[in-house]
Amino acid sequence: MTISKELLDELLNGVERPEDLLGETGLMKELKIKLMERMLGAELTAHLGYEEGKEAPPGQSNRRNGTSTKVLKGQDGEMPV
């Protein structure tokens, strides 16, 4: 996968200080959170066998039932997802 210059420019729009990129509320942390949420959503879809917003297959007793905030702990500290 290649990240285009245009996408990179859009992501870096407004980044003026190192903290804006690497700080506690910086772009890198936000990207990690969004990527983790996307991966966890894909894992749930694969596990349940149906996409979010769709009806569960007939006979499927395990269902999506909303979301709640979770905190992942890793090398970079805690990340709310």
Side-chain angles (χ1 to χ4, degrees), residues 8-60:
L8 193 54
D9 288 343
E10 185 177 341
L11 287 170
L12 293 173
N13 185 26
V15 173
E16 297 174 2
R17 306 168 299 146
E19 302 84 43
D20 296 337
L21 185 61
L22 302 171
E24 188 61 30
T25 59
L27 176 63
M28 291 299 290
K29 187 162 187 178
E30 186 174 347
L31 281 171
K32 286 180 187 178
I33 290 169
K34 295 297 184 187
L35 287 170
M36 188 62 65
E37 288 172 345
R38 177 73 62 95
M39 289 186 297
L40 290 170
E43 182 181 15
L44 184 59
T45 295
H47 175 72
L48 294 176
Y50 69 98
E51 296 284 333
E52 183 175 7
K54 305 283 183 174
E55 289 292 320
Q60 169 67 279

